[in-house]
Amino acid sequence: ETWALRHVNLTIGAGEKVALVGPNGAGKTTLIKLLTRLYDPTEGEILLDGVDLRAYNLDELRRQIGVIFQDFVRYQLSAAENIGIGQIEALDDRPRIEMAATKSGAAPVIGGLPEGYETMLGRWFSGGRDLSGGEWQKIALGRAFMRECEVLVLDEPTAALDAENELRVFQQFRELTADKTAVLISHRFSTVRMADRIFVIEDGGISEQGSHDDLLALGGTYARLFTMQAESYR
């Protein structure tokens, strides 16, 4: 009965890395699902190169987007298939699968499995190996890195990783997205500060925007949340 997002107006440039922050339920994931055309807007429009997103062929559009949501799927398939399914046409391209696994940090996990990339993951089938939450998340990240896409969307991509592994992923973040437009949602401000621009989403709208330094200087919601989080590490 209420608007999930209302009067949202933002522009993301080609190759730009942007982050969305804000409380749970503010509308961050809804915005992502609109950008990826999992939803269509009730009102207004989303433009890509000045053309309404709904005018594009849906399959062609989605081929240009790699996305991992926080509620990613754990496929009861082999480790190789779990990653390769991110670009289904390349399911038999082992070098590409191994490169994606290396980028996401999944390679050491797979290397420790009894049959390596051929190991069945999950417990549905005989001989299947289950993984920890953080290990599954690395596999899911690998799926996103499989895609030859122009836009990479990461919605809480490291929520299940420990601090050391999260830092490793995001130390690579700019390198991994060097030739892509990247949209990142995270509650961890150590991650968010790497973005070119940060949008604060509150009550279904954009309340603040700018770089990490800009928003700290503004002294608003972002500065307050960043300071609270930084204090907890001291």
Side-chain angles (χ1 to χ4, degrees):
E1 297 181 1
T2 58
W3 293 94
L5 293 166
R6 191 69 165 153
H7 305 304
V8 170
N9 187 12
L10 72 155
T11 301
I12 301 173
E16 191 175 15
K17 323 303 176 204
V18 303
L20 308 178
V21 302
N24 292 332
K28 302 184 298 296
T29 299
T30 300
L31 182 56
I32 290 299
K33 289 183 176 178
L34 286 163
L35 293 176
T36 53
R37 264 211 80 192
L38 295 175
Y39 298 159
D40 283 331
T42 313
E43 294 180 3
E45 57 187 2
I46 300 170
L47 306 178
L48 173 60
D49 289 339
V51 177
D52 192 306
L53 218 55
R54 290 167 287 198
Y56 288 91
N57 176 279
L58 190 55
D59 290 337
E60 290 293 329
L61 176 71
R62 288 183 179 161
R63 265 196 279 273
Q64 299 305 317
I65 301 170
V67 58
I68 171 176
F69 290 108
Q70 51 191 313
D71 52 349
F72 57 85
V73 178
R74 305 179 184 205
Y75 293 103
Q76 308 291 313
L77 300 168
S78 72
E81 289 168 328
N82 253 283
I83 293 175
I85 207 168
Q87 187 81 38
I88 196 75
E89 304 88 343
L91 197 55
D92 295 324
D93 189 341
R94 181 55 61 83
R96 183 164 163 183
I97 289 171
E98 292 179 2
M99 179 63 71
T102 298
K103 287 180 177 180
S104 72
V109 175
I110 296 170
L113 295 172
E115 297 174 62
Y117 284 85
E118 304 310 318
T119 305
M120 183 67 67
L121 300 186
R123 291 295 191 186
W124 284 12
F125 301 107
S126 175
R129 290 297 185 99
D130 207 0
L131 304 177
S132 70
E135 289 170 335
W136 272 114
Q137 193 149 33
K138 290 176 183 179
I139 296 288
L141 266 172
R143 279 201 290 277
F145 290 131
M146 267 297 288
R147 294 183 75 77
E148 289 183 349
C149 59
E150 294 185 36
V151 180
L152 187 62
V153 178
L154 304 173
D155 183 356
E156 290 286 348
T158 58
L161 299 185
D162 59 51
E164 183 179 359
N165 278 301
E166 182 197 38
L167 180 62
R168 187 174 297 123
V169 168
F170 283 103
Q171 282 174 334
Q172 294 179 287
F173 174 70
R174 296 196 71 88
E175 176 188 344
L176 296 174
T177 61
D179 56 346
K180 304 182 194 307
T181 302
V183 182
L184 167 71
I185 295 177
S186 180
H187 289 290
R188 303 191 191 184
F189 289 84
S190 57
T191 298
V192 166
R193 66 188 299 172
M194 300 181 191
D196 299 319
R197 276 191 304 154
I198 301 161
F199 294 92
V200 180
I201 312 290
E202 295 183 281
D203 300 321
I206 297 173
S207 61
E208 301 171 13
Q209 61 176 290
S211 68
H212 171 76
D213 291 337
D214 292 339
L215 294 178
L216 283 186
L218 186 65
T221 298
Y222 179 86
R224 177 175 58 82
L225 294 174
F226 178 82
T227 302
M228 284 172 54
Q229 202 167 102
E231 283 293 334
S232 69
Y233 285 100
R234 286 179 180 155

